[in-house]
Amino acid sequence: MIKTDVLIIGGGPAGIITAVTSRATYPNKKVLVIRERKDLLVPCALPYIFGNMLPNTEKDLVPDQHWQKSGAELIIDTITKVDISNKIAHTETDTISFEKLVFATGSVPNTPKIEGVESNGVFTVPKDRDKIDKLKSHIDNLKTDNIVVVGTGFIGVEIAGELLDTGKNVYLIGGSDRVLKNAFDDEFSERIENILVGSGVKLLNKTRVKKIISDEVGNTQAVEFTNGNQIKTEAVILAIGYHPNTQLAKDSGIRVGIKGGIWVDEYMRTDFNGVFAVGDCAEKKNFLTRELSGVMLASTATAEARIVGSSLYGIQYVKGFHGTIGTFSTVMGNKCFSSVGMTEQEAQKEKFDYVTGSFEGVDKHPATLPNTHKQMVKLIAMKRSGILIGGQVTGGKESGELINLISLMVENKMSIYSILTLQVATHPLLTAGPTAYPIIKSAEQINNKINSCLV
Ligand SMILES: Cc1cc2nc3c(=O)[nH]c(=O)nc-3n(C[C@H](O)[C@H](O)[C@H](O)COP(=O)(O)OP(=O)(O)OC[C@H]3O[C@@H](n4cnc5c(N)ncnc54)[C@H](O)[C@@H]3O)c2cc1C
């Protein structure tokens, strides 16, 4: 039997950061991570394996030796059973006793229940090197150029853009009326669609897959949609979301919430004393609405991991995890698109009493400088308090970091009145000018709208 103080099941971003933080907080404790696969991919960079940026999965590996410098140990194995009351976990061949247990078992891709989904040539996008290698090799060896990508969230959109760069004929299929609908309002989605369609992606919104048609040996031949149309293809990539990987937790008697994540409190504690859950497998709440949320992000997973890693043997900082603010970024062509918190559309749906402000300028000053891009910021704030509840950004790649400033403001419930007098570092080659800094200008517009209501 192996003995450890802290056992972490799963060595993705959440497991690794839990291990590093717990070693730093409790240097006398033995911390053991069990991960079922040897190779760990950087999941967020997976789409770039399908284009010209990363030639293969080898270039997307996380080097374990970096985080193992913390003193945490790693064993490649699969935990098959956990006996919570006796504090023992089992693999096929070993048993591990622990004092504290952390589930960091992550998430797995959704597969729709449609006819033909088991055909050869139909793939999801799991965080699993072997499966991604199979998908990549299938695409690289296709005899025809048509590829159908299903799902117009970040992963589908990014993979479609990358495949196009390799000369494939890419169809991007989405059930909703526009791409990235959960993260952006119309004016941003429209720009993303213009870039995608302008570069050659064949975008079919409001379209649902009915079945995958295969030949007599089960190889994919075509996709049929509910409107009766068909596209001939030998490759279908399903990017329609992920669900928490919680079977092991459920089998161990741990409570799982209605969205499928392990129930946790603000310190990531489950119902059982000394047992925690973190990352994609843990239940998420929306920071603003307090409703359960299905948004899973590495940034959220690692924030939770820092909390759990420092609270295993008692709370060190009175700072729990108060919900996901949903901060995203992506790149389309040479433009970034980022979002945090509520979109205007969501604020309307949730009946928040909000007001918006937008500003379009440039990301350098003066605009005559080389490589200057248009830059647009939209802020959404509460009408009465001015508290910021969301923001969206587009611009040159340098604009990507603006969303992190806005995220900080949303998370700290800053109001536009503090933002109006914000002191920001500006430089001609790096940012918009201080007279036209887009976050401040958008806040000014909100202030003007609020003032005009008061008169
Ligand atoms: C294509 C793609 C792009 C993404 N892009 C972004 C992005 O740009 N930004 C962002 O913030 N997020 C992004 N994400 C989301 C992000 O990858 C996840 O939120 C993050 O990986 C969650 O980390 P985790 O450690 O909770 O889970 P996972 O990464 O799923 O890791 C879980 C680990 O647990 C292991 N495991 C499971 N069960 C067992 C068991 N019984 N025994 C041993 N080991 C086990 C698994 O093998 C795995 O290694 C992306 C995801 C994908 C798939």
Side-chain angles (χ1 to χ4, degrees):
M1 182 187 294
I2 301 167
K3 273 186 95 176
T4 186
D5 298 315
V6 178
L7 174 62
I8 300 168
I9 310 176
I16 289 175
I17 296 303
T18 303
V20 171
T21 313
S22 46
R23 280 289 304 156
T25 316
Y26 310 105
N28 298 326
K29 297 290 179 188
K30 181 174 168 184
V31 176
L32 174 62
V33 176
I34 304 284
R35 189 174 70 217
E36 60 189 351
R37 283 182 281 275
K38 180 178 153 289
D39 293 325
L40 177 66
L41 297 167
V42 177
C44 311
L46 277 177
Y48 303 102
I49 291 164
F50 301 106
N52 297 323
M53 282 198 241
L54 293 174
N56 49 44
T57 49
E58 182 73 35
K59 299 281 180 204
D60 189 37
L61 292 177
V62 177
D64 283 317
Q65 56 278 21
H66 286 329
W67 64 268
Q68 282 182 293
K69 281 183 197 147
S70 67
E73 288 171 38
L74 171 69
I75 293 179
I76 306 301
D77 208 337
T78 302
I79 300 288
T80 52
K81 201 172 146 207
V82 182
D83 176 352
I84 304 256
S85 42
N86 290 309
K87 298 195 166 194
I88 289 177
H90 300 263
T91 69
E92 286 297 346
T93 52
D94 232 325
T95 50
I96 305 164
S97 74
F98 56 83
E99 280 177 4
K100 306 285 177 188
L101 176 67
V102 181
F103 283 90
T105 48
S107 60
V108 285
N110 295 335
T111 309
K113 289 189 180 69
I114 50 171
E115 192 183 327
V117 78
E118 304 296 337
S119 309
N120 305 323
V122 179
F123 297 89
T124 56
V125 189
K127 293 165 266 182
D128 173 333
R129 186 177 183 191
D130 292 344
K131 290 186 179 155
I132 294 293
D133 282 342
K134 272 194 197 133
L135 164 56
K136 168 111 172 109
S137 142
H138 183 83
I139 287 169
D140 289 348
N141 294 309
L142 278 179
K143 289 183 206 82
T144 54
D145 278 340
N146 280 3
I147 298 190
V148 172
V149 179
V150 184
T152 48
F154 277 92
I155 295 170
V157 164
E158 287 176 359
I159 291 179
E162 289 306 299
L163 288 169
L164 195 79
D165 286 350
T166 64
K168 300 288 182 201
N169 197 18
V170 183
Y171 291 84
L172 178 61
I173 315 298
S176 63
D177 56 345
R178 56 187 174 82
V179 302
L180 294 166
K181 190 167 178 159
N182 292 337
F184 293 105
D185 287 316
D186 290 1
E187 61 272 39
F188 287 80
S189 289
E190 212 171 89
R191 288 174 191 225
I192 297 169
E193 291 189 355
N194 287 343
I195 295 174
L196 282 168
V197 174
S199 57
V201 170
K202 292 169 183 72
L203 174 65
L204 300 176
N205 284 328
K206 294 198 244 174
T207 304
R208 293 197 176 270
V209 177
K210 185 177 168 203
K211 63 176 170 185
I212 315 283
I213 299 166
S214 58
D215 62 14
E216 57 289 349
V217 289
N219 291 331
T220 297
Q221 300 294 299
V223 176
E224 184 174 313
F225 302 106
T226 48
N227 60 14
N229 292 343
Q230 287 189 0
I231 293 170
K232 283 201 166 118
T233 183
E234 290 168 12
V236 179
I237 300 176
L238 301 168
I240 54 164
Y242 293 76
H243 60 273
N245 179 15
T246 52
Q247 196 55 50
L248 180 69
K250 274 194 242 173
D251 293 346
S252 318
I254 307 261
R255 175 154 57 119
V256 164
I258 49 170
K259 287 237 176 212
I262 299 171
W263 182 90
V264 283
D265 69 8
E266 296 194 339
Y267 290 93
M268 314 312 293
R269 294 175 290 205
T270 69
D271 276 341
F272 287 88
N273 195 10
V275 181
F276 303 76
V278 67
D280 284 5
C281 68
E283 189 170 77
K284 305 273 171 283
K285 269 207 181 88
N286 181 302
F287 179 78
L288 293 155
T289 63
R290 313 308 302 152
E291 285 165 3
L292 292 181
S293 162
V295 175
M296 295 176 201
L297 287 165
S299 49
T300 308
T302 48
E304 291 173 347
R306 290 187 171 98
I307 286 166
V308 82
S310 59
S311 321
L312 290 168
Y313 289 88
I315 290 164
Q316 303 289 320
Y317 316 98
V318 184
K319 167 92 174 75
F321 188 73
H322 300 298
T324 173
I325 54 169
T327 181
F328 307 85
S329 273
T330 191
V331 175
M332 288 286 115
N334 59 3
K335 296 261 182 303
C336 84
F337 289 87
S338 317
S339 160
V340 62
M342 278 197 169
T343 57
E344 181 173 5
Q345 170 192 269
E346 192 188 357
Q348 266 167 17
K349 193 173 129 244
E350 294 290 338
K351 303 209 168 9
F352 274 48
D353 193 11
Y354 71 91
V355 55
T356 67
S358 297
F359 181 78
E360 184 154 34
V362 284
D363 61 4
K364 299 194 175 51
H365 59 286
T368 44
L369 278 165
N371 298 320
T372 297
H373 289 266
K374 279 191 176 167
Q375 186 180 51
M376 182 162 114
V377 168
K378 174 175 180 175
L379 297 181
I380 301 149
M382 297 305 286
K383 203 183 271 173
R384 282 154 214 273
S385 61
I387 287 177
L388 204 63
I389 57 169
Q392 291 158 62
V393 174
T394 180
K397 287 183 188 163
E398 292 85 352
S399 309
E401 280 289 335
L402 281 182
I403 205 66
N404 289 331
L405 185 52
I406 302 174
S407 298
L408 191 72
M409 292 167 173
V410 172
E411 196 173 348
N412 287 286
K413 303 209 167 108
M414 273 178 73
S415 81
I416 54 119
Y417 306 110
S418 331
I419 300 169
L420 289 173
T421 52
L422 200 68
Q423 300 180 52
V424 284
T426 57
H427 184 277
L429 303 182
L430 296 173
T431 65
T435 52
Y437 196 74
I439 296 177
I440 299 173
K441 295 300 288 180
S442 301
E444 268 174 16
Q445 200 187 80
I446 292 176
N447 188 36
N448 293 342
K449 284 186 186 173
I450 293 174
N451 284 343
S452 67
C453 291
L454 295 177
V455 188

